[in-house]
């Protein structure tokens, strides 16, 4: 009697163990874990994705690459159709995220502080105090913004360098021809206007420097392609 009871218990344990380790269950667990991990990273990404630091960019790209490879292995296995659809959806989502991050390593036009500022301040006819405080913070990012850009651009593409040049000409024009006049029209004291204007000029300096770097990179890339 005791032996029979023990045998039944062992059989139940074996069945439960095989079910918990089934391909379908394992695949579903992997989807949940991967989605949770990526969602937590997405929540902590900066508002301007291109300001992601170099180390975090590399970690996220490594994670996405491994996750896509694992997703493909699951898709090649005979698992439940509904679970496969979940994996395909996750695979597509991760692929889009990976493409966005990879652009930071090849496309210099991804980085454009002037375009960011134009998006934020072009439509505003007047700059309020809160706008001016935020503007000062945004302008102060210029130095680090373009240092990060050059750190992450491992293999820039010549055509993208050309695009970055044209976009930065537009961005610099916006700062000097549109934003500066808006600053002059505010009721700020002269010294505060001058203080903010220096920040604008400083940001333009970094943008012009990056523009020149993009021109130089485009020339080098095309020159090296000839040989």
């Amino acid at each position: 009697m005791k032996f029979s009871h023990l045998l039944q218990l062992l059989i139940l344990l074996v069945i439960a163990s095989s079910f918990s380790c089934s391909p379908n269950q394992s695949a579903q667990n992997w989807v949940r874990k991967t989605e949770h991990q990526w969602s937590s990273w997405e929540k902590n990404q900066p508002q301007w994705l291109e300001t992601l630091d170099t180390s975090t960019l590399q970690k996220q790209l490594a994670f996405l690459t491994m996750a896509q490879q694992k997703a493909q292995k699951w898709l090649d296995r005979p698992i439940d159709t509904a679970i496969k659809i979940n994996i395909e959806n996750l695979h597509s989502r991760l692929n889009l995220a990976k493409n966005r991050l990879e652009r930071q390593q090849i496309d210099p036009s991804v980085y454009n502080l002037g375009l960011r500022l134009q998006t934020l301040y072009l439509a505003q006819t007047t700059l309020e105090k809160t706008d001016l405080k935020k503007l000062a913070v945004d302008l102060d990012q210029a130095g680090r913004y373009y240092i990060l850009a050059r750190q992450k651009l491992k293999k820039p593409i010549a055509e993208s360098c050309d695009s970055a040049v044209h976009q930065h000409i537009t961005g610099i024009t916006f700062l000097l021809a549109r934003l500066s006049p808006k600053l002059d029209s505010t009721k700020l004291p002269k010294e505060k206007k001058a203080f903010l204007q220096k920040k604008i000029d400083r940001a333009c300096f970094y943008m012009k420097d990056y523009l020149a770097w993009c021109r130089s990179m485009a020339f080098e890339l095309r020159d090296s392609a000839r040989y």
Side-chain angles (χ1 to χ4, degrees):
M1 186 73 177
K2 288 183 179 179
F3 176 77
S4 176
H5 180 71
L6 181 61
L7 181 61
Q8 289 177 358
L9 183 61
L10 287 171
I11 291 171
L12 288 172
L13 287 171
V14 169
I15 293 172
S17 175
S18 62
F19 176 78
S20 64
C21 296
S22 69
N24 287 336
Q25 188 64 41
S26 297
Q28 195 74 286
N29 290 340
W30 176 82
V31 169
R32 291 196 194 99
K33 182 180 177 182
T34 304
E35 283 182 331
H36 176 74
Q37 176 66 64
W38 181 243
S39 294
S40 66
W41 273 355
E42 277 189 317
K43 287 178 183 177
N44 293 319
Q45 283 179 340
Q47 185 179 5
W48 298 356
L49 184 60
E50 73 271 21
T51 60
L52 204 65
D53 66 84
T54 309
S55 175
T56 304
L57 176 70
Q58 291 172 347
K59 286 178 183 177
Q60 291 191 7
L61 280 173
F63 170 82
L64 290 168
T65 299
M66 287 189 292
Q68 283 186 301
Q69 290 172 353
K70 183 65 175 178
Q72 191 57 56
K73 287 181 180 179
W74 281 121
L75 291 172
D76 292 338
R77 295 182 66 177
I79 57 178
D80 185 77
T81 302
I83 297 174
K84 273 197 174 186
I85 291 172
N86 289 339
I87 295 174
E88 286 171 352
N89 291 337
L90 177 60
H91 189 278
S92 297
R93 177 185 167 194
L94 297 181
N95 187 53
L96 287 173
K98 186 167 177 277
N99 288 341
R100 287 185 69 194
L101 294 180
E102 284 180 335
R103 279 193 65 202
Q104 295 189 29
Q105 295 182 315
I106 62 173
D107 187 355
S109 67
V110 165
Y111 308 94
N112 193 331
L113 182 63
L115 181 60
R116 285 291 187 186
L117 298 177
Q118 184 173 329
T119 303
L120 290 170
Y121 302 105
L122 179 62
Q124 295 174 245
T125 53
T126 58
L127 296 173
E128 305 297 335
K129 284 186 178 181
T130 53
D131 298 324
L132 293 169
K133 287 181 180 179
K134 189 175 185 308
L135 174 60
V137 173
D138 291 337
L139 289 169
D140 283 339
Q141 291 194 57
R144 180 177 178 274
Y145 186 92
Y146 287 108
I147 287 173
L148 280 174
R150 296 190 203 194
Q151 285 178 352
K152 290 186 285 183
L153 284 165
K154 302 296 184 184
K155 296 179 180 179
I157 300 170
E159 291 73 16
S160 297
C161 289
D162 295 334
S163 178
V165 169
H166 295 304
Q167 287 184 22
H168 274 73
I169 291 172
T170 301
I172 293 166
T173 301
F174 165 74
L175 289 180
L176 297 179
R178 302 290 295 275
L179 193 59
S180 288
K182 284 186 183 183
L183 183 61
D184 288 335
S185 66
T186 63
K187 296 179 180 179
L188 281 176
K190 287 184 179 180
E191 60 272 15
K192 288 190 177 181
K193 287 182 182 179
F195 177 72
L196 280 171
Q197 185 58 52
K198 282 185 179 179
K199 289 182 181 291
I200 290 175
D201 293 339
R202 187 76 174 165
C204 285
F205 167 80
Y206 286 115
M207 291 172 68
K208 289 175 183 177
D209 186 55
Y210 183 71
L211 185 156
W213 180 80
C214 288
R215 273 184 175 151
S216 176
M217 284 301 302
F219 177 80
E220 289 180 19
L221 289 166
R222 289 192 172 97
D223 190 53
S224 61
R226 292 166 55 194
Y227 300 98

